Amino acid sequence: MSDDATAAGETGEEVARGDDGQKPLCESAQLTPSSRFLRAELELNAHLRQLTFSEPVRYIYNPLEYAWDTHRCYVERYCQAGQKILFLGMNPGPFGMAQTGVPFGEVRSVVDWLKITGEVGHPPDEHPKRQITGLACTQREVSGARFWGFFRKLCGEPARFFQHCFVHNLCPLIFMSASGKNLTPPELLVGEREKLLVLCDIALCQVVKALGVSMVIGIGRVAEQRARRALTAAGVSVRVEGIMHPSPRNPKANKGWEEEAKAKLTELGVMSLLANKLSDSLLIPSSKE
């Protein structure tokens, strides 16, 4: 794991090295939202290391370890007080967060719009067809390009979006078969999947409480349903809604994800928070991919 796993720098938190060599956040009476968020992720990482997975899983990447530097840059820059909406994805894609450490982290969006910098390492066991090249990755991640592209056109600048919203993934792990095929959590063995998601549920509840958001918007039905289940079971009072996932595997998303997202976010009252004066003219139909 990266030696840089600390919220020093912008957060000003003191750090101390843990037994595993990572630099965890120390106790502080005045933790910032970003440092509370990072702490919850570090705790989740420690629990996830204890899990094992059977076939069809052969490779497991955790970008919260090898891409902690860029992930921490994203969190420290954009996780802030006053955010009321948490957009929640399920887990990383092979050419998005797996490469950049940023949820839905299509490289061009991460570098050109979000201005994320930092070093990205490698998972300990790397599939030869799914190598991590970090911010130098040239493979386009369609879901991330659609997601961040929509909000770039809507908001203009990241500051407008992050004044009200933050983006997170329920599970930080990416799973692959021996062939390099991406495996989603629903494709894991039931018992192993539930052990994983119970830990992720606990971390989600910690994050929602730490940030004080009033609405969680699941990106895709699976994330929405899991968030509702986890937060309701924990007694966390927060509204849970959902928008269509922008994945190119989804035929409806290919026909016009931006229009679907805009309609739903208008219904939820999110568009009125984010839209700038030029946004309506900029939000044009998405091309099929």
Side-chain angles (χ1 to χ4, degrees), residues 24-126:
L25 299 169
C26 285
E27 294 293 338
S28 171
Q30 295 182 335
L31 288 174
T32 63
S34 63
S35 58
R36 289 195 296 269
F37 188 94
L38 291 170
R39 171 173 294 189
E41 292 190 309
L42 290 175
E43 291 176 359
L44 177 61
N45 267 358
H47 292 298
L48 293 178
R49 292 189 199 103
Q50 309 305 313
L51 299 182
T52 57
F53 296 91
S54 308
E55 293 292 339
V57 176
R58 172 60 182 83
Y59 295 87
I60 303 171
Y61 294 6
N62 185 353
L64 296 191
E65 294 189 334
Y66 63 82
W68 181 262
D69 198 21
T70 49
H71 178 75
R72 185 182 57 151
C73 177
Y74 163 72
V75 174
E76 290 183 345
R77 180 168 296 181
Y78 293 120
C79 182
Q80 57 198 28
Q83 293 169 326
K84 295 301 181 186
I85 300 164
L86 181 67
F87 284 95
L88 184 73
M90 192 62 196
N91 72 310
F95 304 111
M97 185 173 177
Q99 300 289 338
T100 65
V102 176
F104 290 86
E106 188 261 342
V107 173
R108 294 277 57 84
S109 299
V110 168
V111 174
D112 296 342
W113 195 52
L114 299 179
K115 306 297 184 184
I116 299 302
T117 60
E119 298 295 324
V120 177
H122 296 270
D125 190 13
E126 196 168 9

Side-chain angles (χ1 to χ4, degrees), residues 256-276:
W257 180 80
E258 285 191 354
E259 290 73 31
E260 292 277 353
K262 182 179 178 181
K264 185 63 177 181
L265 294 177
T266 298
E267 175 188 325
L268 297 177
V270 178
M271 290 293 291
S272 60
L273 294 176
L274 300 181
N276 62 39

Side-chain angles (χ1 to χ4, degrees), residues 3-222:
D3 185 56
D4 295 322
T6 165
E10 288 93 334
T11 65
E13 300 298 331
E14 295 180 353
V15 296
R17 189 176 299 278
D19 293 338
D20 63 354
Q22 186 162 6
K23 296 178 181 177
L25 299 169
C26 285
E27 294 293 338
S28 171
Q30 295 182 335
L31 288 174
T32 63
S34 63
S35 58
R36 289 195 296 269
F37 188 94
L38 291 170
R39 171 173 294 189
E41 292 190 309
L42 290 175
E43 291 176 359
L44 177 61
N45 267 358
H47 292 298
L48 293 178
R49 292 189 199 103
Q50 309 305 313
L51 299 182
T52 57
F53 296 91
S54 308
E55 293 292 339
V57 176
R58 172 60 182 83
Y59 295 87
I60 303 171
Y61 294 6
N62 185 353
L64 296 191
E65 294 189 334
Y66 63 82
W68 181 262
D69 198 21
T70 49
H71 178 75
R72 185 182 57 151
C73 177
Y74 163 72
V75 174
E76 290 183 345
R77 180 168 296 181
Y78 293 120
C79 182
Q80 57 198 28
Q83 293 169 326
K84 295 301 181 186
I85 300 164
L86 181 67
F87 284 95
L88 184 73
M90 192 62 196
N91 72 310
F95 304 111
M97 185 173 177
Q99 300 289 338
T100 65
V102 176
F104 290 86
E106 188 261 342
V107 173
R108 294 277 57 84
S109 299
V110 168
V111 174
D112 296 342
W113 195 52
L114 299 179
K115 306 297 184 184
I116 299 302
T117 60
E119 298 295 324
V120 177
H122 296 270
D125 190 13
E126 196 168 9
H127 193 287
K129 295 182 180 179
R130 292 290 181 264
Q131 294 186 350
I132 299 302
T133 54
L135 300 183
C137 178
T138 57
Q139 179 73 39
R140 186 168 182 261
E141 212 260 347
V142 176
S143 295
R146 287 176 175 170
F147 181 83
W148 289 115
F150 172 79
F151 288 110
R152 183 174 188 172
K153 285 186 279 186
L154 176 64
C155 300
E157 296 297 328
R160 181 182 290 270
F161 176 80
F162 289 104
Q163 179 182 353
H164 304 284
C165 308
F166 194 63
V167 185
H168 177 52
N169 273 331
L170 176 68
C171 172
L173 303 183
I174 179 170
F175 303 93
M176 284 171 280
S177 68
S179 67
K181 177 182 180 291
N182 184 41
L183 300 170
T184 62
E187 296 175 274
L188 307 181
L189 296 182
V190 174
E192 295 175 355
R193 179 180 70 232
E194 283 308 304
K195 288 180 181 179
L196 165 71
L197 293 181
V198 164
L199 295 175
C200 296
D201 289 349
I202 293 170
L204 174 64
C205 294
Q206 292 174 338
V207 163
V208 168
K209 291 177 182 178
L211 301 185
V213 297
S214 56
M215 184 187 300
V216 174
I217 300 178
I219 306 169
R221 191 172 300 277
V222 176

